[in-house]
């Protein structure tokens, strides 16, 4: 086993300090008694209490969670289908267009996606609200799911599926009893990614939201425009904690799963 | 029979979804960009009235015009926004490359047991809210913020620096937010690299620096290109960072589009801005797609 060289250790230390210090400071100052950012007024959790009494914030959080849940679930299904098409379906008419439509949203500037979807909803006479935000989020996050799942699918051993087919399973049966359990970790990772992307999105939601469907990022954004506030720090800390916990638990579970599979195989 | 039908359904469902929610909207934007502003709802005309049949469509087509595009060239706000977006995105992309490369290199050469943890540490910030990470910098960069506090206490400066609401803050924001996008593709090419090549180069008399430029860097080029595109393309249309960290003089096209839409309520001009922005990005986006497809083919082998 090699050790860290001096140069590598330094660049990693500085790199990770740069990545994490701002978040760390944000978390520390959410426990600040004083309302001023730079003055440390002692440890306090009063901003968290304040947050819990902020009805508008709680409403926005509830809207955001529902939108994220529905759009992530829809995106997981559609994205997995898209990945299967990309990896498995071989050549068909319009394949280039299809892969273009899957990859382009990954880098498309959000203002364009937001504007174009809004104009679509208006020409469809669809009232803006939770439904339109959910549809918009599903569209861009299904592409992320497709990328995550297809990277798992390309390393997938097709002979397993063929064996199931030879033994008389229908393609649908073979998919649900052989393929899906194996690619499940990627689908779950895709779902989590879609969930956090939706939780996080400001620009696309701003274009496509309507009365009664204010999401948390929209709420945070309008508060942030007025300046730094410890209450927003507290809210950010909660969001960061939830997401980090989710990601860490998911990756540990994945590792555990891989380990138990390895044991079974032995 | 079920297999054939299943295949068709499998292709059709995501295909139709993306057609309706991704491709069709672009044609609507394109159409509205040729429309004229009106004080009504929706705030533009002509609107296609399908009930009047073909003659209605023809009449609507006759009213389409290039006025909005002419307008974009007449008011130099738009041209300056486009140029300044390209400049800011390009500069930040280079800074991100310079900052990200040593990190990716350090990760790729770290002991194997460490690598999953390091990878996790790079990915984790990507999962935490973008908005929150940009917001975190406001408290650091503002006049009475933490950076100025630190520097004055250390005696490095006596006057607080003005960083927030300048382009510098925008650069910092973009580099910070997009760093994981640069590090991940770089890491995945560097990790696959055969480092004995460098030893060979050094044995043959290369200095470490020249071995880096002659061996490591050229071999990592696919990662460099992917990382640069992943930073550059979204950064050109970035809205949140210039809006929260930049100042009034910070011009970026995403912000201009946003203002056109939300403040001026001029949908046709906003659409025209979007179409031009898209045209600027078509080439980098196509390159990015080719790269992803080739990557997937390589993985499949």
């Amino acid at each position: 086993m090699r050790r860290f060289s001096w140069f590598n250790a330094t660049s990693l230390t500085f790199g990770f300090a740069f990545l994490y210090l701002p978040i760390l400071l944000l978390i520390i100052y959410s426990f600040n008694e004083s309302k001023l950012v730079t003055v440390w007024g002692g440890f306090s959790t009063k901003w968290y209490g304040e947050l819990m009494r902020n009805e508008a914030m709680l409403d926005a959080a509830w809207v955001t969670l529902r939108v994220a849940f529905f759009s992530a679930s829809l995106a997981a299904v559609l994205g997995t289908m898209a990945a299967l098409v990309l990896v498995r379906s071989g050549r068909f008419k319009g394949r280039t267009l299809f892969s273009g439509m899957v990859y382009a949203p990954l880098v498309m500037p959000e203002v364009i996606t937001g504007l174009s979807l809004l104009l679509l909803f208006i020409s469809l006479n669809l009232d803006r609200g939770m439904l339109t935000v959910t549809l918009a989020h599903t569209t861009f996050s299904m592409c992320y799911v497709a990328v995550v799942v297809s990277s798992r699918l390309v390393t997938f051993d097709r002979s397993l599926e063929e064996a199931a087919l030879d033994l008389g399973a229908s393609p649908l049966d073979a998919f649900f009893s052989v393929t899906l359990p194996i690619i499940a970790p990627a689908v779950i990772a895709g779902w989590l990614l879609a969930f956090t992307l939706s939780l996080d999105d400001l620009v696309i939601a701003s274009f496509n939201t309507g009365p009664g469907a204010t999401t948390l990022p929209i709420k945070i954004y309008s508060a942030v425009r007025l300046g730094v506030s410890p209450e927003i720090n507290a809210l950010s800390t909660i969001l960061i904690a939830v997401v980090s916990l989710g990601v860490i638990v998911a990756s540990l579970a994945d590792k555990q799963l891989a380990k138990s599979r390895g044991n079974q195989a032995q | 029979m079920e297999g054939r039908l299943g295949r068709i359904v499998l292709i059709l469902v995501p295909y139709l979804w993306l057609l309706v929610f991704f491709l069709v909207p672009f044609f609507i934007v394109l159409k509205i960009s040729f429309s004229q502003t009106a004080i009504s709802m929706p705030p533009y005309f002509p609107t296609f009235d399908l009930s009047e049949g073909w003659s209605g469509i023809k009449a609507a087509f006759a009213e389409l015009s290039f006025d909005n595009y002419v307008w974009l060239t007449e008011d130099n706000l738009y041209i300056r926004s486009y140029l300044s977006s390209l400049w800011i995105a390009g500069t930040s992309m280079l800074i991100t490359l310079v900052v990200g490369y040593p990190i990716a290199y350090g990760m790729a050469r770290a002991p194997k047991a460490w690598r999953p943890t390091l990878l996790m540490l790079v990915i984790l910030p990507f999962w935490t809210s973008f908005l929150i990470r940009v917001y975190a910098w406001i408290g650091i960069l503002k006049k009475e913020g933490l950076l100025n506090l630190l520097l004055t206490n250390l005696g490095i400066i006596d006057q607080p620096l003005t960083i927030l609401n300048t382009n510098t803050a925008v650069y910092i924001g973009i580099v910070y937010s997009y760093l994981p996008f640069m590090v991940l593709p770089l890491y995945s090419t560097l990790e696959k690299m055969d480092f004995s090549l460098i030893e060979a180069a050094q044995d043959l008399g290369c200095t470490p620096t020249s071995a880096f430029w002659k061996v490591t860097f050229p071999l990592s080029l696919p990662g460099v290109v992917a990382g640069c595109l992943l930073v550059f393309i979204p950064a050109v249309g970035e809205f949140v960072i210039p809006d929260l960290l930049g100042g009034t003089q910070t011009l970026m096209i995403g912000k201009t589009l946003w203002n056109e839409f939300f403040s001026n309520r001029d949908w046709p001009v906003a659409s025209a801005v979007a179409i031009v922005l898209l045209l600027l990005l078509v080439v980098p986006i196509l390159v990015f797609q080719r790269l992803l497809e080739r990557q997937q083919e390589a993985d499949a082998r």
Side-chain angles (χ1 to χ4, degrees):
Chain A
M1 159 131 354
R2 285 188 304 104
R3 299 233 314 268
F4 284 101
S5 77
W6 176 85
F7 173 81
N8 293 339
T10 321
S11 59
L12 284 178
T13 311
F14 275 101
F16 286 117
F18 177 61
L19 275 177
Y20 281 92
L21 219 52
I23 300 176
L24 210 64
L25 287 170
L26 180 103
I27 294 173
I28 293 171
Y29 277 89
S30 74
F31 294 105
N32 188 2
E33 168 80 36
S34 156
K35 201 172 169 62
L36 296 166
V37 190
T38 42
V39 183
W40 182 253
F43 181 87
S44 146
T45 52
K46 74 170 180 191
W47 303 111
Y48 290 85
E50 207 101 320
L51 198 63
M52 289 303 136
R53 283 187 292 276
N54 189 336
E55 290 276 338
M57 229 22 133
L58 293 178
D59 281 347
W62 178 230
V63 170
T64 313
L65 283 176
R66 276 185 298 169
V67 168
F69 178 80
F70 288 121
S71 67
S73 307
L74 210 53
V77 175
L78 287 166
T80 306
M81 290 175 90
L84 284 167
V85 174
L86 282 177
V87 179
R88 293 289 186 74
S89 282
R91 308 223 167 270
F92 59 89
K93 254 199 182 129
R95 193 195 147 88
T96 318
L97 176 66
F98 183 72
S99 70
M101 289 193 301
V102 172
Y103 294 133
L106 301 178
V107 284
M108 192 59 68
E110 289 174 316
V111 280
I112 296 184
T113 314
L115 177 71
S116 63
L117 278 166
L118 165 70
L119 297 177
L120 170 80
F121 293 138
I122 282 176
S123 53
L124 290 177
N125 262 329
L126 219 57
D127 279 337
R128 282 187 276 164
M130 258 184 66
L131 176 69
T132 49
V133 178
T134 308
L135 290 174
H137 283 178
T138 305
T139 305
F140 80 90
S141 49
M142 73 174 270
C143 302
Y144 283 88
V145 176
V147 171
V148 173
V149 174
S150 64
S151 69
R152 185 85 167 212
L153 267 179
V154 289
T155 59
F156 176 83
D157 184 5
R158 279 203 84 164
S159 58
L160 287 172
E161 213 179 55
E162 277 154 16
L165 291 173
D166 287 345
L167 292 172
S170 72
L172 218 55
D173 277 340
F175 174 76
F176 280 107
S177 49
V178 179
T179 317
L180 191 59
I182 295 177
I183 61 168
V187 177
I188 293 168
W191 187 91
L192 274 174
L193 185 60
F195 189 83
T196 51
L197 284 170
S198 167
L199 215 59
D200 190 22
D201 167 65
L202 165 73
V203 175
I204 294 170
S206 296
F207 276 101
N208 292 294
T209 189
T214 308
T215 64
L216 211 47
I218 298 176
K219 205 86 198 150
I220 296 176
Y221 173 71
S222 50
V224 165
R225 294 206 65 160
L226 304 173
V228 176
S229 88
E231 210 179 319
I232 295 295
N233 281 5
L235 178 61
S236 307
T237 305
I238 295 175
L239 284 176
I240 292 169
V242 169
V243 170
S244 317
L245 212 69
V247 174
I248 291 169
V249 167
S251 79
L252 287 181
D254 189 24
K255 221 181 254 173
Q256 205 59 45
L257 203 69
K259 217 187 231 167
S260 68
R261 283 246 174 82
N263 288 344
Q264 272 172 24
Q266 272 164 18
Chain B
M1 209 51 224
E2 190 197 347
R4 228 184 113 73
L5 192 72
R7 179 168 181 263
I8 292 171
V9 170
L10 178 69
I11 294 176
L12 267 186
V13 173
Y15 211 118
L16 284 178
W17 183 283
L18 286 171
L19 274 182
V20 171
F21 291 107
F22 185 72
L23 201 62
V24 170
F26 282 119
F27 287 102
I28 299 176
V29 175
L30 189 65
K31 183 243 143 188
I32 291 174
S33 75
F34 291 113
S35 306
Q36 291 160 49
T37 314
I39 302 173
S40 62
M41 192 63 205
Y44 56 85
F45 75 92
T47 46
F48 284 88
D49 189 357
L50 292 178
S51 59
E52 279 179 46
W54 180 236
S55 65
I57 294 175
K58 234 162 70 180
F61 259 108
E63 298 213 46
L64 295 178
S65 75
F66 277 98
D67 285 0
N68 301 308
Y69 292 93
V70 175
W71 169 246
L72 291 191
T73 60
E74 275 169 358
D75 190 334
N76 72 5
L77 166 76
Y78 302 102
I79 294 176
R80 282 192 302 142
S81 304
Y82 281 119
L83 290 179
S84 132
S85 300
L86 291 175
W87 172 258
I88 291 177
T91 315
S92 329
M93 173 192 90
L94 290 178
I95 304 173
T96 315
L97 178 63
V98 172
V99 175
Y101 206 103
I103 302 176
Y105 188 85
M107 285 166 63
R109 303 227 58 184
K112 236 194 171 103
W114 275 79
R115 285 184 208 163
T117 315
L118 293 174
L119 196 61
M120 182 76 171
L121 282 173
V122 174
I123 296 173
L124 203 55
F126 167 75
W127 289 78
T128 45
S129 169
F130 185 75
L131 187 60
I132 290 174
R133 283 181 293 144
V134 174
Y135 163 73
W137 281 96
I138 299 180
I140 298 173
L141 295 178
K142 63 182 197 170
K143 216 170 194 122
E144 58 285 3
L146 296 166
L147 182 69
N148 275 323
L149 191 75
L150 178 76
L151 292 178
T152 0
N153 281 347
L154 289 175
I156 297 171
I157 51 169
D158 7 282
Q159 285 296 315
L161 302 169
T162 312
I163 304 177
L164 190 65
N165 301 328
T166 66
N167 282 357
T168 315
V170 176
Y171 290 130
I172 296 175
I174 295 178
V175 172
Y176 178 71
S177 312
Y178 289 99
L179 191 60
F181 291 98
M182 180 65 86
V183 173
L184 292 175
L186 279 176
Y187 168 74
S188 72
T189 50
L190 284 171
E191 205 227 351
K192 279 183 230 139
M193 211 180 93
D194 182 1
F195 280 96
S196 59
L197 288 173
I198 298 171
E199 282 158 30
Q202 289 184 354
D203 287 346
L204 293 171
C206 264
T207 62
T209 328
S210 67
F212 174 80
W213 288 111
K214 283 188 176 142
V215 181
T216 316
F217 192 74
L219 281 176
S220 66
L221 267 180
V224 173
V225 174
C228 284
L229 288 172
L230 275 175
V231 174
F232 180 78
I233 302 170
V236 171
E238 185 52 56
F239 163 74
V240 176
I241 298 171
D243 188 64
L244 290 180
L245 301 180
T248 41
Q249 86 295 355
T250 307
L251 281 178
M252 280 192 86
I253 200 66
K255 209 173 111 182
T256 309
L257 193 157
W258 178 283
N259 288 335
E260 210 57 70
F261 187 85
F262 285 104
S263 311
N264 301 347
R265 302 205 166 272
D266 195 333
W267 293 16
V269 169
S271 303
V273 170
I275 293 294
V276 178
L277 173 58
L278 199 63
L279 289 177
L280 287 179
L281 293 179
V282 151
V283 175
I285 288 177
L286 288 179
V287 174
F288 170 74
Q289 265 173 27
R290 283 289 310 144
L291 215 69
L292 264 186
E293 274 165 346
R294 232 185 287 163
Q295 174 82 40
Q296 205 170 56
E297 280 159 23
D299 282 349
R301 238 173 264 139

